[in-house]
Amino acid sequence: MPNYESTLTRFPSILVFCLILSACGGSGEPVVEIALHPTKPDLLYIATNDYIYKTRDSGKTWTNVSKGMTHSRVISLAVDPLLPANVYAGTKGDAIFKSFNGGHQWISQRKGLEGVTITSVVHEIKFVPGSSQHIFAATSMGVFETENAGETWAKRMEGMIEVLMVVTIDVDPNQPQTLYAGTSGGVYRSLDGAKTWIKVNNGLVPPDVLKSSRALGVVKIKIDRHAPHTVYTATLKGLYKTTDGGESWQRIGESLPDQFFSDLILDPMTPGVVFVASRAGVHTSRDGGQTWDAVNEGLTNLNIRALVISPTDPSTLYVGTNRAGLFRTNNGGRLWEPVPLTPAPQSP
């Protein structure tokens, strides 16, 4: 029988890591969020229900990088595309934390994100293209903006009516003044950098329930960088697409086996390539959502929590599952392989 007391004395962090993951060779942990380095494909971060982990070797070994974080769950991650040592973590009730050194230490950046009695749940963090200072956050208290890299945040909700929370936000990479936000009241669009918003729900929600604050359940919005005015929206009740800037939406993907979606991503290099995640795994379309194929070979759990695509090689994707950890594909989803959360060696 192994001497756990001796091991704990010599290698406390490794043992704790292994116990958390149930076994050093793998993980039954839910992986709820994944963030990739913009230029180094071997470097990525993931968040489980308890901790943030980082790998520098494409997932061969991992390090717990949660020093300075509270026990509040991390549900969103973002790496600064221009200064990748800056990493942001959005939490479930403790606002935003920032690391200036690649996750080795974290500090709270909640100024402006606190209410009288509650602190924001931060669902998504989005950089304005070309800036490290200008960031938007989708939170339980609305849309917030910072123009000083998170030092202070300001609420940007003018025009948002009957909104309880904002779950997802995207900034047009070609026209950064244009934003879309998925809220508890449907989809809103801004054409002036979030100063004002208008509701664009035509076709998304039946007219008789348009006023219901929870009629749709938008979970992800993605603007197509290849096609002006084309936006995709994943919801808890289906998948939608607009080609006229949100003036009208069309239902797509109705043939997919599960309409309760958890994530949506677009190929950054190839027009018309869409991936969606649900409780039925991952499906992809190569014609803008007209036809779909399942790409689940190798996945041992089809309940997908997070889905990302490599910014340097779109044939590489990662998924975080609900109970089977992290998986990677290097061939566009034709075959997935598990990526165990093996702890990196540490000095005695």
Side-chain angles (χ1 to χ4, degrees):
M1 182 174 178
N3 188 338
Y4 290 121
E5 184 176 355
S6 173
T7 305
L8 179 58
T9 301
R10 295 178 58 204
F11 305 105
S13 57
I14 290 181
L15 182 58
V16 170
F17 195 175
C18 292
L19 292 174
I20 289 168
L21 299 180
S22 300
C24 282
S27 171
E29 283 280 300
V31 174
V32 300
E33 184 68 352
I34 309 164
L36 307 183
H37 191 284
T39 59
K40 296 180 180 179
D42 292 341
L43 199 159
L44 60 144
Y45 302 82
I46 65 167
T48 69
N49 280 346
D50 299 300
Y51 298 101
I52 301 172
Y53 298 101
K54 176 182 180 178
T55 179
R56 295 177 175 274
D57 53 17
S58 292
K60 294 183 180 66
T61 59
W62 295 83
T63 303
N64 184 330
V65 289
S66 300
K67 184 177 180 180
M69 297 289 298
T70 65
H71 293 292
S72 184
R73 283 175 54 190
V74 172
I75 57 174
S76 56
L77 287 170
V79 179
D80 187 332
L82 301 181
L83 299 171
N86 294 333
V87 186
Y88 292 78
T91 69
K92 194 173 184 179
D94 207 5
I96 288 177
F97 285 77
K98 179 180 180 180
S99 173
F100 294 90
N101 54 12
H104 294 291
Q105 295 172 310
W106 298 86
I107 61 170
S108 177
Q109 288 202 317
R110 65 171 65 191
K111 188 175 181 180
L113 290 169
E114 295 178 299
V116 177
T117 58
I118 61 172
T119 302
S120 289
V121 176
V122 180
H123 299 283
E124 190 166 18
I125 301 165
K126 187 70 63 173
F127 285 86
V128 173
S131 176
S132 289
Q133 302 287 312
H134 198 179
I135 309 168
F136 287 96
T139 84
S140 58
M141 299 195 298
V143 174
F144 285 80
E145 178 185 31
T146 178
E147 295 185 87
N148 53 19
E151 292 294 327
T152 57
W153 296 85
K155 198 168 189 176
R156 298 288 183 252
M157 293 289 285
E158 181 68 32
M160 285 196 180
I161 304 168
E162 300 171 345
V163 172
L164 300 178
M165 68 180 69
V166 179
V167 177
T168 179
I169 192 166
D170 203 9
V171 183
D172 191 324
N174 301 309
Q175 298 287 339
Q177 291 294 302
T178 299
L179 298 90
Y180 291 82
T183 79
S184 54
V187 173
Y188 283 76
R189 181 188 68 206
S190 175
L191 299 177
D192 56 11
K195 292 182 177 64
T196 59
W197 297 87
I198 61 169
K199 187 183 289 188
V200 285
N201 273 347
N202 183 29
L204 276 171
V205 186
D208 57 329
V209 293
L210 268 175
K211 294 183 179 180
S212 173
S213 64
R214 295 185 180 275
L216 188 63
V218 178
V219 297
K220 189 67 70 172
I221 281 186
K222 289 292 183 182
I223 301 170
D224 190 341
R225 66 171 59 242
H226 303 291
H229 312 302
T230 297
V231 186
Y232 295 84
T233 296
T235 81
L236 301 180
K237 295 183 179 180
L239 192 64
Y240 296 84
K241 177 182 180 181
T242 178
T243 57
D244 56 13
E247 294 301 319
S248 61
W249 297 85
Q250 294 76 44
R251 181 88 178 264
I252 61 174
E254 292 185 80
S255 64
L256 293 173
D258 185 28
Q259 297 293 307
F260 191 95
F261 294 99
S262 58
D263 215 338
L264 177 152
I265 56 174
L266 305 180
D267 188 313
M269 298 183 185
T270 306
V273 177
V274 187
F275 291 86
V276 294
S278 69
R279 297 168 300 185
V282 182
H283 289 76
T284 185
S285 173
R286 299 194 171 275
D287 52 18
Q290 297 181 55
T291 59
W292 295 87
D293 296 302
V295 283
N296 291 325
E297 184 69 29
L299 292 176
T300 59
N301 186 317
L302 298 185
N303 194 338
I304 306 300
R305 297 284 295 273
L307 174 65
V308 298
I309 189 168
S310 169
T312 58
D313 177 12
S315 64
T316 297
L317 298 91
Y318 290 85
V319 296
T321 67
N322 195 39
R323 277 295 171 190
L326 184 70
F327 287 79
R328 175 180 56 227
T329 177
N330 292 318
N331 52 23
R334 289 193 297 275
L335 180 65
W336 297 87
E337 59 180 3
V339 184
L341 300 187
T342 306
Q346 296 188 16
S347 301

